[in-house]
Amino acid sequence: MSDVPFGFGLPDRDPERRDQPGQDPFGFGALFGFGGPGGAGAGTPEELLGKMPLFAELQKLMNWSGGPVNWDLARQGAISSLATGTQPTSEAERAAVAEALRLADLWLDQATDLPSGVERTLAWSRVEWVEQTLPAWSALIDPLAEKVVAAMTGALPQEAMAMAGPLAGIMGRVGGLMFGAQVGQAFGRLAGEVLTGTEVGLPLAPAGAGVLVPQNVAEFAGGLDRPADEVRLFLALREAASLRLFAHVPWLRQQLHDAVHAYARGITIDREAIERGLQDAMGSMGGGFDPSNPEAVQELLGSGLLEPEETPEQQMALRRLETLLALVEGWVDAVVADAAGERLPGHGALAETMRRRRASGGPAEQTFATLVGLQLRPRRLRDAATVWGAMAQRYGTAERDRLWSHPDLLPTSEDLDEPLDFVARQGVDDELRRLTADDAAQTDTGSGTGTGTGTGTGGADGPADGDDTPR
C-alpha cells in the first residue's frame, strides 16, 4: 500500500531533473513537506494552503466543526446553482406582496376564529430564501445527519476501521461534506420552485414573517390562464392561513420536529449485513479490500450496505409526520376555500393546480423524500381537507378550529381512512359531553336541594315539637 496521500505523487528525487524548468512548477513537493524549490523556508503546509485560494477554500471546508452537516458548503452549493437564474426583488414587487398579504388577512378574518399571524411582509429573491431559511433547516436536518454518520461509523467492523487507519479520523468531516453537498443541491432546486415561506409544510421564515418569492410566483403564474394579481392573492391566502395556524397552535411546530427527530433516533445499520458484505467484497476482489482504493470504496458505498434500515418505530414516526402535514395542508385548503368564496373567480382552478402540483411531486414532496424519506400522499391531503370542510359545514368554524386546541383531538391516520365517520363521531362526543355535564349539574342541584330541605324542615319542626325545651 502506498504511503502517499491520494491524488499526489512523490517529488522527483533526482536533483538534475528536479531543478530543470517545468519540473514541479507549483512546488507541490515543498507544499507537502517533501522539500524541493521553496523548501521548508516557504512556510508550513497550513500557511501555504492559506495562500492558495482553491486550497484555502478546501481547508476551510475540511475544518468545519459546526455540526454533522457542513452548512457553509450547503449554502455555497445552493447559491452557486442559482447564480445565473436569480433576480433581486424590486420595490414594486415588495409593495404587491405586502398588499396581497394584507387583503388575504382581511378575508381570512371571516373564515376562521384564529387571529392573524402575519406581523411583517417579505418579498424574497431565491438567494434570500436560501440564506434566510438555513437556520430552520439546520434544526430539522442536523439530528438526522448526526444519527446517520454515527450509525455508519459504529456499524463498521473493527477490521475495516483498522484498515482505514488515519482515514477513520476524518469520517465525520467527510460525512459533513457529503451531507452539505447533498443538501445544497436540494436547496438549489427547491429555491427555484418554492412560492411561499410555508409551502414545504413548515414555517421556514422568521416568526411572524409572511413571505412570497416574486420571481417564482411570476413563473408559476405564467403557466396558468389566470391574472397574475389573482395568483398572487391566492398564494398570499395560503401563506397567511398557514401562519395563523402555526402562530396560534403553539405545540404544532414542535410536534412536527419531534416526529422528524423520532425518526432520526431510530436510524440503525445492520452490522452483520455489513460484515457479510465486506467478506463478499473481499472474495470478489481476490481476498483484499483496500480502503485507500477509491474504486473499492465506491463499490462498497454503492452496494447499499451502509444504507439505514427502516424500523417499525420509524414507520410510526413517518406516519405521524405525514398525518400532521396532511392536516395542516388540508386545513389551509379548507380555510382558503371559505375565504376566497365568490371573491376570487379562479379559486377552483388554482386550488386544483396546487393539488396537481403536490400530486406530481412539488417542493414539499421532493424535499421530504430527499431528506427524510417521506413522500406525502395526495390522498391523505384530500382526506384531511374533507375532515375540515365537513367539520365547518356541520358544526361551524369554531368547532372545526377547536380540534387544534390539543394534539389528542386531531384525527389520526386511521381516522383519515374514513374522514366522514370521524366527523360524525364528533357530534356523538359532543352530545355525550353535554349529557355528562347535565347529569353532573342535576346531581349537584339535587344534593344542594336535599340539604336545604332538611335544614328547613328541621328548623320549622323544632319550635312546634318543643317550644319548652331549652336549647
Side-chain angles (χ1 to χ4, degrees):
M1 183 188 300
S2 172
D3 294 329
V4 185
F6 174 70
F8 300 98
L10 286 169
D12 195 330
R13 298 187 182 277
D14 187 326
E16 295 183 359
R17 290 198 303 269
R18 184 183 63 203
D19 295 333
Q20 291 176 359
Q23 294 297 318
D24 196 16
F26 298 103
F28 282 124
L31 180 64
F32 291 96
F34 298 125
T44 65
E46 290 77 9
E47 291 172 345
L48 289 171
L49 285 172
K51 295 176 182 178
M52 302 177 66
L54 173 61
F55 285 103
E57 287 300 314
L58 290 174
Q59 185 182 37
K60 186 189 302 181
L61 292 175
M62 285 303 296
N63 287 339
W64 167 265
S65 58
V69 177
N70 191 319
W71 290 102
D72 285 347
L73 178 61
R75 175 183 172 278
Q76 292 173 17
I79 292 177
S80 295
S81 68
L82 297 170
T84 59
T86 188
Q87 301 171 1
T89 56
S90 66
E91 186 61 36
E93 288 173 330
R94 288 191 287 271
V97 167
E99 177 60 22
L101 286 167
R102 184 194 65 81
L103 183 56
D105 250 350
L106 290 176
W107 289 7
L108 288 169
D109 284 340
Q110 302 174 36
T112 176
D113 292 338
L114 296 181
S116 173
V118 179
E119 298 175 3
R120 60 190 183 281
T121 62
L122 298 172
W124 281 347
S125 67
R126 291 170 175 174
V127 170
E128 287 175 319
W129 184 90
V130 170
E131 293 179 329
Q132 297 296 326
T133 61
L134 279 182
W137 285 117
S138 176
L140 188 69
I141 296 173
D142 273 346
L144 287 167
E146 185 175 6
K147 286 293 294 184
V148 169
V149 171
M152 290 174 62
T153 304
L156 287 174
Q158 294 298 322
E159 295 82 358
M161 294 293 291
M163 285 190 292
L167 294 178
I170 63 170
M171 286 188 66
R173 292 181 182 179
V174 172
L177 288 173
M178 292 171 60
F179 278 111
Q182 182 184 14
V183 169
Q185 291 177 356
F187 283 177
R189 291 193 301 269
L190 192 58
E193 300 178 27
V194 71
L195 302 171
T196 69
T198 58
E199 189 183 359
V200 300
L202 291 167
L204 300 175
V211 176
L212 267 65
V213 184
Q215 182 179 356
N216 293 347
V217 171
E219 292 183 3
F220 176 70
L224 306 175
D225 189 22
R226 302 304 309 174
D229 290 347
E230 190 175 283
V231 176
R232 186 188 305 112
L233 180 54
F234 170 75
L235 296 173
L237 282 165
R238 293 186 57 83
E239 175 76 348
S242 295
L243 290 180
R244 287 184 182 230
L245 196 59
F246 281 102
H248 301 290
V249 181
W251 49 264
L252 179 57
R253 187 193 304 248
Q254 189 60 48
Q255 287 271 326
L256 288 165
H257 280 236
D258 287 348
V260 175
H261 296 168
Y263 177 85
R265 286 194 298 271
I267 291 177
T268 57
I269 296 178
D270 190 343
R271 182 168 181 166
E272 293 183 357
I274 291 180
E275 291 177 347
R276 291 194 300 270
L278 281 174
Q279 291 174 357
D280 295 340
M282 290 177 181
S284 64
M285 296 176 189
F289 171 73
D290 183 2
S292 68
N293 181 354
E295 294 181 358
V297 174
Q298 185 173 2
E299 181 179 342
L300 176 63
L301 293 174
S303 67
L305 288 176
L306 300 181
E307 293 180 2
E309 292 187 349
E310 197 170 275
T311 64
E313 292 76 15
Q314 287 179 293
Q315 293 172 358
M316 290 178 59
L318 288 179
R319 264 199 312 274
R320 181 170 149 227
L321 178 59
E322 177 188 66
T323 301
L324 273 175
L325 289 170
L327 290 172
V328 170
E329 285 287 307
W331 186 88
V332 168
D333 284 352
V335 170
V336 168
D338 289 345
E342 301 298 325
R343 299 187 181 104
L344 204 63
H347 169 264
L350 291 171
E352 180 60 28
T353 299
M354 290 302 294
R355 281 192 288 269
R356 291 178 180 177
R357 178 179 169 90
R358 291 192 296 252
S360 62
E365 287 75 20
Q366 292 175 0
T367 301
F368 279 102
T370 299
L371 301 177
V372 184
L374 168 69
Q375 294 185 1
L376 293 176
R377 290 173 291 173
R379 182 177 66 85
R380 298 285 84 180
L381 301 180
R382 287 193 294 269
D383 293 338
T386 297
V387 166
W388 299 122
M391 284 292 298
Q393 183 177 11
R394 186 163 181 175
Y395 307 114
T397 58
E399 281 298 302
R400 175 198 64 195
D401 296 345
R402 182 184 61 83
L403 295 180
W404 289 106
S405 62
H406 195 279
D408 293 344
L409 298 178
L410 290 176
T412 64
S413 178
E414 290 74 18
D415 291 329
L416 293 183
D417 292 335
E418 299 292 341
L420 295 181
D421 287 350
F422 171 82
V423 174
R425 287 200 304 274
Q426 301 311 301
V428 174
D429 292 343
D430 289 342
E431 186 62 27
L432 288 173
R433 280 194 293 270
R434 278 195 296 271
L435 290 173
T436 302
D438 290 345
D439 289 344
Q442 290 176 3
T443 300
D444 291 342
T445 302
S447 175
T449 301
T451 303
T453 301
T455 303
T457 303
D461 291 345
D465 293 340
D467 289 340
D468 58 348
T469 303
R471 299 193 178 191

PDB file of all heavy atoms in Angstrom, residues 97-98 101-102 105 116-124 132 205-212 239 243:
ATOM      1  N   VAL A  97     -46.568  42.305  -2.862  1.00  0.00           N
ATOM      2  CA  VAL A  97     -46.651  41.220  -1.878  1.00  0.00           C
ATOM      3  C   VAL A  97     -47.295  41.720  -0.585  1.00  0.00           C
ATOM      4  O   VAL A  97     -48.162  41.045  -0.004  1.00  0.00           O
ATOM      5  CB  VAL A  97     -45.238  40.648  -1.609  1.00  0.00           C
ATOM      6  CG1 VAL A  97     -45.252  39.742  -0.373  1.00  0.00           C
ATOM      7  CG2 VAL A  97     -44.737  39.875  -2.817  1.00  0.00           C
ATOM      8  N   ALA A  98     -46.904  42.890  -0.130  1.00  0.00           N
ATOM      9  CA  ALA A  98     -47.477  43.441   1.100  1.00  0.00           C
ATOM     10  C   ALA A  98     -48.977  43.652   0.959  1.00  0.00           C
ATOM     11  O   ALA A  98     -49.761  43.333   1.873  1.00  0.00           O
ATOM     12  CB  ALA A  98     -46.786  44.759   1.456  1.00  0.00           C
ATOM     13  N   LEU A 101     -50.866  40.177   0.954  1.00  0.00           N
ATOM     14  CA  LEU A 101     -50.959  39.570   2.284  1.00  0.00           C
ATOM     15  C   LEU A 101     -51.910  40.359   3.186  1.00  0.00           C
ATOM     16  O   LEU A 101     -52.619  39.759   4.016  1.00  0.00           O
ATOM     17  CB  LEU A 101     -49.565  39.498   2.920  1.00  0.00           C
ATOM     18  CG  LEU A 101     -48.640  38.413   2.337  1.00  0.00           C
ATOM     19  CD1 LEU A 101     -47.207  38.622   2.791  1.00  0.00           C
ATOM     20  CD2 LEU A 101     -49.122  37.022   2.737  1.00  0.00           C
ATOM     21  N   ARG A 102     -51.964  41.679   3.041  1.00  0.00           N
ATOM     22  CA  ARG A 102     -52.898  42.488   3.839  1.00  0.00           C
ATOM     23  C   ARG A 102     -54.346  42.131   3.483  1.00  0.00           C
ATOM     24  O   ARG A 102     -55.174  41.908   4.374  1.00  0.00           O
ATOM     25  CB  ARG A 102     -52.649  43.974   3.579  1.00  0.00           C
ATOM     26  CG  ARG A 102     -53.514  44.902   4.430  1.00  0.00           C
ATOM     27  CD  ARG A 102     -53.491  46.320   3.906  1.00  0.00           C
ATOM     28  NE  ARG A 102     -54.104  46.398   2.587  1.00  0.00           N
ATOM     29  CZ  ARG A 102     -55.416  46.461   2.390  1.00  0.00           C
ATOM     30  NH1 ARG A 102     -56.253  46.419   3.422  1.00  0.00           N
ATOM     31  NH2 ARG A 102     -55.895  46.534   1.168  1.00  0.00           N
ATOM     32  N   ASP A 105     -55.332  38.617   4.736  1.00  0.00           N
ATOM     33  CA  ASP A 105     -55.655  38.582   6.164  1.00  0.00           C
ATOM     34  C   ASP A 105     -57.072  39.078   6.431  1.00  0.00           C
ATOM     35  O   ASP A 105     -57.772  38.539   7.311  1.00  0.00           O
ATOM     36  CB  ASP A 105     -54.643  39.417   6.952  1.00  0.00           C
ATOM     37  CG  ASP A 105     -53.732  38.549   7.813  1.00  0.00           C
ATOM     38  OD1 ASP A 105     -54.012  37.339   7.940  1.00  0.00           O
ATOM     39  OD2 ASP A 105     -52.753  39.070   8.354  1.00  0.00           O
ATOM     40  N   SER A 116     -54.745  36.800  13.063  1.00  0.00           N
ATOM     41  CA  SER A 116     -53.659  36.897  12.094  1.00  0.00           C
ATOM     42  C   SER A 116     -52.329  36.486  12.711  1.00  0.00           C
ATOM     43  O   SER A 116     -52.045  36.740  13.883  1.00  0.00           O
ATOM     44  CB  SER A 116     -53.554  38.333  11.564  1.00  0.00           C
ATOM     45  OG  SER A 116     -52.404  38.474  10.746  1.00  0.00           O
ATOM     46  N   GLY A 117     -51.488  35.848  11.878  1.00  0.00           N
ATOM     47  CA  GLY A 117     -50.141  35.502  12.305  1.00  0.00           C
ATOM     48  C   GLY A 117     -49.082  36.279  11.547  1.00  0.00           C
ATOM     49  O   GLY A 117     -47.894  36.032  11.719  1.00  0.00           O
ATOM     50  N   VAL A 118     -49.504  37.211  10.687  1.00  0.00           N
ATOM     51  CA  VAL A 118     -48.566  37.991   9.874  1.00  0.00           C
ATOM     52  C   VAL A 118     -48.223  39.280  10.612  1.00  0.00           C
ATOM     53  O   VAL A 118     -49.072  40.147  10.792  1.00  0.00           O
ATOM     54  CB  VAL A 118     -49.156  38.317   8.489  1.00  0.00           C
ATOM     55  CG1 VAL A 118     -48.166  39.154   7.676  1.00  0.00           C
ATOM     56  CG2 VAL A 118     -49.508  37.038   7.738  1.00  0.00           C
ATOM     57  N   GLU A 119     -46.988  39.386  11.032  1.00  0.00           N
ATOM     58  CA  GLU A 119     -46.513  40.605  11.688  1.00  0.00           C
ATOM     59  C   GLU A 119     -45.755  41.514  10.722  1.00  0.00           C
ATOM     60  O   GLU A 119     -45.703  42.725  10.924  1.00  0.00           O
ATOM     61  CB  GLU A 119     -45.602  40.229  12.863  1.00  0.00           C
ATOM     62  CG  GLU A 119     -46.309  39.414  13.940  1.00  0.00           C
ATOM     63  CD  GLU A 119     -45.362  38.944  15.026  1.00  0.00           C
ATOM     64  OE1 GLU A 119     -44.151  39.314  14.963  1.00  0.00           O
ATOM     65  OE2 GLU A 119     -45.805  38.208  15.926  1.00  0.00           O
ATOM     66  N   ARG A 120     -45.148  40.936   9.686  1.00  0.00           N
ATOM     67  CA  ARG A 120     -44.474  41.725   8.661  1.00  0.00           C
ATOM     68  C   ARG A 120     -44.483  40.932   7.365  1.00  0.00           C
ATOM     69  O   ARG A 120     -44.591  39.699   7.372  1.00  0.00           O
ATOM     70  CB  ARG A 120     -43.040  42.068   9.072  1.00  0.00           C
ATOM     71  CG  ARG A 120     -42.133  40.878   9.310  1.00  0.00           C
ATOM     72  CD  ARG A 120     -40.830  41.336   9.941  1.00  0.00           C
ATOM     73  NE  ARG A 120     -39.880  40.266  10.145  1.00  0.00           N
ATOM     74  CZ  ARG A 120     -39.925  39.390  11.142  1.00  0.00           C
ATOM     75  NH1 ARG A 120     -40.924  39.446  12.018  1.00  0.00           N
ATOM     76  NH2 ARG A 120     -38.999  38.461  11.272  1.00  0.00           N
ATOM     77  N   THR A 121     -44.391  41.655   6.251  1.00  0.00           N
ATOM     78  CA  THR A 121     -44.426  41.027   4.938  1.00  0.00           C
ATOM     79  C   THR A 121     -43.052  41.132   4.290  1.00  0.00           C
ATOM     80  O   THR A 121     -42.366  42.147   4.408  1.00  0.00           O
ATOM     81  CB  THR A 121     -45.473  41.697   4.040  1.00  0.00           C
ATOM     82  OG1 THR A 121     -45.128  43.071   3.836  1.00  0.00           O
ATOM     83  CG2 THR A 121     -46.855  41.616   4.692  1.00  0.00           C
ATOM     84  N   LEU A 122     -42.653  40.047   3.589  1.00  0.00           N
ATOM     85  CA  LEU A 122     -41.337  39.998   2.952  1.00  0.00           C
ATOM     86  C   LEU A 122     -41.470  39.441   1.543  1.00  0.00           C
ATOM     87  O   LEU A 122     -42.240  38.488   1.309  1.00  0.00           O
ATOM     88  CB  LEU A 122     -40.375  39.122   3.761  1.00  0.00           C
ATOM     89  CG  LEU A 122     -40.050  39.572   5.191  1.00  0.00           C
ATOM     90  CD1 LEU A 122     -39.247  38.494   5.908  1.00  0.00           C
ATOM     91  CD2 LEU A 122     -39.274  40.886   5.177  1.00  0.00           C
ATOM     92  N   ALA A 123     -40.732  40.024   0.623  1.00  0.00           N
ATOM     93  CA  ALA A 123     -40.621  39.505  -0.749  1.00  0.00           C
ATOM     94  C   ALA A 123     -39.166  39.101  -0.941  1.00  0.00           C
ATOM     95  O   ALA A 123     -38.276  39.949  -0.985  1.00  0.00           O
ATOM     96  CB  ALA A 123     -41.037  40.567  -1.758  1.00  0.00           C
ATOM     97  N   TRP A 124     -38.915  37.797  -1.032  1.00  0.00           N
ATOM     98  CA  TRP A 124     -37.551  37.281  -1.084  1.00  0.00           C
ATOM     99  C   TRP A 124     -37.156  36.902  -2.499  1.00  0.00           C
ATOM    100  O   TRP A 124     -37.973  36.374  -3.271  1.00  0.00           O
ATOM    101  CB  TRP A 124     -37.405  36.032  -0.211  1.00  0.00           C
ATOM    102  CG  TRP A 124     -37.260  36.325   1.247  1.00  0.00           C
ATOM    103  CD1 TRP A 124     -37.001  37.520   1.831  1.00  0.00           C
ATOM    104  CD2 TRP A 124     -37.347  35.377   2.313  1.00  0.00           C
ATOM    105  NE1 TRP A 124     -36.922  37.379   3.197  1.00  0.00           N
ATOM    106  CE2 TRP A 124     -37.135  36.080   3.517  1.00  0.00           C
ATOM    107  CE3 TRP A 124     -37.601  34.007   2.371  1.00  0.00           C
ATOM    108  CZ2 TRP A 124     -37.165  35.449   4.762  1.00  0.00           C
ATOM    109  CZ3 TRP A 124     -37.623  33.384   3.606  1.00  0.00           C
ATOM    110  CH2 TRP A 124     -37.406  34.097   4.791  1.00  0.00           C
ATOM    111  N   GLN A 132     -32.075  32.825   4.335  1.00  0.00           N
ATOM    112  CA  GLN A 132     -32.940  33.096   5.474  1.00  0.00           C
ATOM    113  C   GLN A 132     -33.570  31.839   6.074  1.00  0.00           C
ATOM    114  O   GLN A 132     -33.984  31.853   7.231  1.00  0.00           O
ATOM    115  CB  GLN A 132     -34.063  34.076   5.069  1.00  0.00           C
ATOM    116  CG  GLN A 132     -33.553  35.446   4.651  1.00  0.00           C
ATOM    117  CD  GLN A 132     -32.856  36.179   5.779  1.00  0.00           C
ATOM    118  OE1 GLN A 132     -33.225  36.054   6.946  1.00  0.00           O
ATOM    119  NE2 GLN A 132     -31.825  36.942   5.441  1.00  0.00           N
ATOM    120  N   ALA A 205     -39.516  30.742   7.551  1.00  0.00           N
ATOM    121  CA  ALA A 205     -39.119  32.141   7.731  1.00  0.00           C
ATOM    122  C   ALA A 205     -39.125  32.480   9.221  1.00  0.00           C
ATOM    123  O   ALA A 205     -39.663  31.729  10.048  1.00  0.00           O
ATOM    124  CB  ALA A 205     -40.071  33.057   6.976  1.00  0.00           C
ATOM    125  N   PRO A 206     -38.527  33.602   9.600  1.00  0.00           N
ATOM    126  CA  PRO A 206     -38.609  34.046  10.998  1.00  0.00           C
ATOM    127  C   PRO A 206     -40.063  34.181  11.443  1.00  0.00           C
ATOM    128  O   PRO A 206     -40.953  34.409  10.626  1.00  0.00           O
ATOM    129  CB  PRO A 206     -37.898  35.407  10.972  1.00  0.00           C
ATOM    130  CG  PRO A 206     -36.959  35.318   9.810  1.00  0.00           C
ATOM    131  CD  PRO A 206     -37.654  34.482   8.788  1.00  0.00           C
ATOM    132  N   ALA A 207     -40.296  34.032  12.731  1.00  0.00           N
ATOM    133  CA  ALA A 207     -41.661  34.061  13.271  1.00  0.00           C
ATOM    134  C   ALA A 207     -42.365  35.352  12.869  1.00  0.00           C
ATOM    135  O   ALA A 207     -41.802  36.439  12.960  1.00  0.00           O
ATOM    136  CB  ALA A 207     -41.618  33.934  14.787  1.00  0.00           C
ATOM    137  N   GLY A 208     -43.615  35.196  12.425  1.00  0.00           N
ATOM    138  CA  GLY A 208     -44.428  36.355  12.084  1.00  0.00           C
ATOM    139  C   GLY A 208     -44.192  36.927  10.706  1.00  0.00           C
ATOM    140  O   GLY A 208     -44.827  37.925  10.341  1.00  0.00           O
ATOM    141  N   ALA A 209     -43.308  36.319   9.912  1.00  0.00           N
ATOM    142  CA  ALA A 209     -42.985  36.847   8.590  1.00  0.00           C
ATOM    143  C   ALA A 209     -43.801  36.121   7.525  1.00  0.00           C
ATOM    144  O   ALA A 209     -43.694  34.903   7.375  1.00  0.00           O
ATOM    145  CB  ALA A 209     -41.499  36.712   8.299  1.00  0.00           C
ATOM    146  N   GLY A 210     -44.612  36.875   6.785  1.00  0.00           N
ATOM    147  CA  GLY A 210     -45.299  36.345   5.620  1.00  0.00           C
ATOM    148  C   GLY A 210     -44.436  36.561   4.397  1.00  0.00           C
ATOM    149  O   GLY A 210     -44.048  37.685   4.100  1.00  0.00           O
ATOM    150  N   VAL A 211     -44.146  35.471   3.667  1.00  0.00           N
ATOM    151  CA  VAL A 211     -43.140  35.534   2.596  1.00  0.00           C
ATOM    152  C   VAL A 211     -43.714  35.011   1.284  1.00  0.00           C
ATOM    153  O   VAL A 211     -44.364  33.961   1.259  1.00  0.00           O
ATOM    154  CB  VAL A 211     -41.890  34.703   2.963  1.00  0.00           C
ATOM    155  CG1 VAL A 211     -40.893  34.700   1.816  1.00  0.00           C
ATOM    156  CG2 VAL A 211     -41.251  35.241   4.237  1.00  0.00           C
ATOM    157  N   LEU A 212     -43.457  35.742   0.219  1.00  0.00           N
ATOM    158  CA  LEU A 212     -43.647  35.258  -1.143  1.00  0.00           C
ATOM    159  C   LEU A 212     -42.339  35.440  -1.899  1.00  0.00           C
ATOM    160  O   LEU A 212     -41.550  36.333  -1.577  1.00  0.00           O
ATOM    161  CB  LEU A 212     -44.767  36.016  -1.864  1.00  0.00           C
ATOM    162  CG  LEU A 212     -46.178  35.401  -1.808  1.00  0.00           C
ATOM    163  CD1 LEU A 212     -46.702  35.402  -0.382  1.00  0.00           C
ATOM    164  CD2 LEU A 212     -47.137  36.159  -2.722  1.00  0.00           C
ATOM    165  N   GLU A 239     -50.421  31.430   2.412  1.00  0.00           N
ATOM    166  CA  GLU A 239     -49.344  31.780   3.335  1.00  0.00           C
ATOM    167  C   GLU A 239     -49.913  32.346   4.634  1.00  0.00           C
ATOM    168  O   GLU A 239     -49.490  31.952   5.738  1.00  0.00           O
ATOM    169  CB  GLU A 239     -48.419  32.804   2.664  1.00  0.00           C
ATOM    170  CG  GLU A 239     -47.317  33.350   3.559  1.00  0.00           C
ATOM    171  CD  GLU A 239     -46.168  32.381   3.777  1.00  0.00           C
ATOM    172  OE1 GLU A 239     -46.309  31.189   3.425  1.00  0.00           O
ATOM    173  OE2 GLU A 239     -45.121  32.809   4.295  1.00  0.00           O
ATOM    174  N   LEU A 243     -49.692  30.724   8.523  1.00  0.00           N
ATOM    175  CA  LEU A 243     -49.087  31.463   9.632  1.00  0.00           C
ATOM    176  C   LEU A 243     -50.054  31.589  10.801  1.00  0.00           C
ATOM    177  O   LEU A 243     -49.633  31.583  11.958  1.00  0.00           O
ATOM    178  CB  LEU A 243     -48.628  32.839   9.159  1.00  0.00           C
ATOM    179  CG  LEU A 243     -47.419  32.836   8.222  1.00  0.00           C
ATOM    180  CD1 LEU A 243     -47.053  34.251   7.813  1.00  0.00           C
ATOM    181  CD2 LEU A 243     -46.219  32.167   8.876  1.00  0.00           C
TER     182      LEU A 243
END
